[in-house]
Amino acid sequence: MKRSRVNEIIREADAFIRSFGYVMPPFAYWSPQELRERRPAGIVDVRLGWDITDYGRGKFDELGLFLFTVRNGRAEDLARGKGMLYAEKIMISRKDQLSPMHRHAIKAEDIINRGGGKLVLELFMPAADGGIDRQAEVTVPTDGVIRKLPAGGLLKLDPGESVTLLPGVWHAFWGEGADVLIGEVSTVNDDLTDNIFAEPIGRFSEIEEDEEPLHLLVSDYDHWLR
Ligand SMILES: [Fe+2]
């Protein structure tokens, strides 16, 4: 993915998010230079910030997701059972833009339709070995109410609706009818280790540097903030 395209997606996402009255935190707008100079551990170490992925396939409009991690705790606190054990993201699934089938080993997440089109999730329960169970009925809480679907059933969330995905539940999702603003409230999040994809796929994009970054992506931190 070209850096110029990443910059363009950041500008489009920022306008889309603001159109719903959601405003991102101040550090979202720091320049790469400012982030390099200030380098707060509370941002850099827990990887808060911009995250744009084409899952390594180079077709962002068909396979991709915009994310911004607003807050995140520390995985070490999970073992202690207290501390900042939570995370929050704001995301955009564009119309018919797929986030491919995956599950998490640690993270439970509420996926919330914050506005725009319908958010469609394809769901499967985990088999005993953690793989996809293509037979088992899917049972998920949606805003406190249990919903049952056949294996691979499509759960369609209107604006305001949400689903709780416990660790192990397989999910893929996309926007239907229009782009969708998505909230995620979850257990502390580690995108380097806790995404298990059904197909071999990358979580982050390869960036081709054809212009200066408007803002750094979390996947830039290791390289740019060294
Ligand atoms: Fe997920």
Side-chain angles (χ1 to χ4, degrees), residues 75-89:
E76 306 90 82
D77 283 351
L78 276 178
R80 296 196 308 136
K82 59 185 175 184
M84 190 180 177
L85 305 179
Y86 52 87
E88 180 191 3
K89 292 181 187 180

Side-chain angles (χ1 to χ4, degrees), residues 101-121:
M101 190 58 70
H102 68 283
R103 68 174 172 90
H104 309 288
I106 306 287
K107 182 172 73 162
E109 57 189 8
D110 273 20
I111 301 293
I112 308 149
N113 184 334
R114 296 280 190 203
K118 274 185 198 294
L119 179 63
V120 185
L121 297 103

